[in-house]
Amino acid sequence: MTDLIGDERLDYLLAENLRIIQSPSVFAFSLDAVLLARFVYVPIQKGNIVDLCSGNGVIPLLLSNKTKATITGVEIQERLYHMAERSIRYNRLENRIHMIHGDVKEISQTLGHGKYDVVTCNPPYFTSAEPSIINENEYLAIARHEILCSLEDVIRTSSQLLRQGGKAAFVHRPERLMDILTLMRQYRLEPKRLRFVYPKAGKEANTILVEGIKNGNSGLKALPPLFVYDKENEYTPEIREILYGKEE
C-alpha cells in the first residue's frame, strides 16, 4: 500500500490494470491524456521516451503497457512530481519509468540533445490571460494556462530532445492548431498524423491529436474522426475499448 496525502485517492487505470494517485484539489488526469497515450506510436521492445508536463504521471504509466522502452516523465510542480513517483512505486515500475522534477524549458540541458525516440506532451492549453480568469487554485492554473511554459517552449524542447526521425505527439485544442503546426515546422518537427476528437456527432471538435517526425518529409495524414459519445450519451465502442480494454 502507498501513503496518501490529504484528499488523494488511488484510482484504477482500468484498461491497463494499473493504479494512480489523484487529487481533485491538486490534479486528476483527463480523457485527453488517455487519448494521447493511445494515439502516439512508440517502439515496442526498446527505446527512450520522454513525457513533458507529466502531471501525476498518467501518460508514462499508460505507455508502460504499450512498450518496454525506458520512459522519463518531467514535471515542474513538486507535489505532482511526488504523486507520480508514489504511483510508479505502487505499480512496481521504478525500473522502467523515471520522474524528473524539472522545468520543460531547461530539461534538454539535463537529458541531452538528440537522444530520444519519442516525446509526448499534454501541455497547458490556454495562453496566459488576465488574472481574473485564471483558476485561483495554483496547481490547476499551472496545468491549464501557459504560466510556467508556453506552447513554443514545449515544441522547441521536444525537437531538442528527439533524435533524427524521432516522433513528437501532442494533444491540444483545435483553436491552437495553426499555432501548433507552424511551431512544429519552425522547430523541424514535420506534422505527419492529425486526428480530430468530437464530443459526439454533429458537435464541433474540442480536441486534436497531432504527431510529427524530426526532420521528416512533408505529408500530413488526416485520420478518421474520433467521437466520444453516441446519440444516447454513452461512450462509443472505440472510447470504451480505450478506457476499459477489449470486451471479451
Side-chain angles (χ1 to χ4, degrees):
M1 189 60 187
T2 188
D3 293 330
L4 299 177
I5 300 170
D7 63 356
E8 290 178 352
R9 63 180 189 263
L10 195 59
D11 288 347
Y12 278 101
L13 290 173
L14 294 174
E16 283 71 22
N17 196 30
L18 297 170
R19 303 292 291 275
I20 186 168
I21 296 171
Q22 305 224 88
S23 162
S25 63
V26 177
F27 190 90
F29 72 86
S30 68
L31 178 63
D32 295 357
V34 182
L35 295 179
L36 178 60
R38 173 60 72 95
F39 172 77
V40 64
Y41 283 146
V42 293
I44 295 173
Q45 292 299 328
K46 60 182 181 179
N48 292 292
I49 299 171
V50 178
D51 178 57
L52 304 176
C53 306
S54 280
N56 63 347
V58 59
I59 290 176
L61 288 170
L62 291 168
L63 291 180
S64 72
N65 259 19
K66 291 180 63 176
T67 177
K68 296 179 181 177
T70 299
I71 305 168
T72 301
V74 180
E75 175 52 47
I76 195 169
Q77 297 196 69
E78 187 172 11
R79 174 77 187 277
L80 302 187
Y81 159 78
H82 286 301
M83 289 169 68
E85 285 257 280
R86 284 180 284 136
S87 291
I88 291 164
R89 287 197 300 270
Y90 182 88
N91 291 288
R92 299 179 181 177
L93 289 168
E94 304 98 314
N95 62 328
R96 296 179 51 206
I97 304 175
H98 173 60
M99 289 296 301
I100 294 178
H101 178 218
D103 190 334
V104 163
K105 299 188 297 294
E106 302 169 357
I107 200 62
S108 61
Q109 299 171 30
T110 302
L111 296 177
H113 288 219
K115 295 183 177 180
Y116 291 86
D117 301 291
V118 177
V119 176
T120 57
C121 188
N122 179 6
Y125 288 152
F126 307 108
T127 56
S128 294
E130 292 297 323
S132 60
I133 63 173
I134 293 180
N135 198 300
E136 292 182 3
N137 182 315
E138 181 183 8
Y139 296 105
L140 300 181
I142 290 171
R144 295 171 182 171
H145 294 267
E146 294 180 349
I147 296 170
L148 298 183
C149 73
S150 67
L151 179 60
E152 183 168 4
D153 293 330
V154 164
I155 292 176
R156 180 181 60 250
T157 296
S158 299
S159 180
Q160 290 169 347
L161 292 169
L162 284 171
R163 62 168 176 78
Q164 172 79 10
K167 294 173 180 171
F170 310 104
V171 59
H172 218 290
R173 291 290 180 259
E175 58 264 30
R176 302 295 302 277
L177 177 59
M178 290 309 301
D179 295 335
I180 294 167
L181 298 181
T182 300
L183 286 167
M184 288 178 73
R185 275 200 157 170
Q186 179 181 333
Y187 289 101
R188 298 182 295 121
L189 298 176
E190 185 62 29
K192 300 295 288 185
R193 298 167 63 232
L194 174 65
R195 192 172 195 189
F196 287 87
V197 182
Y198 299 79
K200 62 191 304 184
K203 300 290 185 180
E204 292 184 358
N206 60 1
T207 304
I208 54 171
L209 298 157
V210 59
E211 183 180 75
I213 294 180
K214 175 79 171 282
N215 292 323
N217 296 324
S218 62
L220 176 62
K221 181 184 294 185
L223 303 179
L226 174 59
F227 299 102
V228 177
Y229 294 102
D230 61 20
K231 293 179 180 179
E232 284 71 44
N233 290 320
E234 301 287 343
Y235 283 137
T236 60
E238 185 172 2
I239 292 294
R240 283 204 309 272
E241 181 182 333
I242 290 171
L243 290 174
Y244 306 117
K246 291 185 177 180
E247 297 178 358
E248 297 296 335

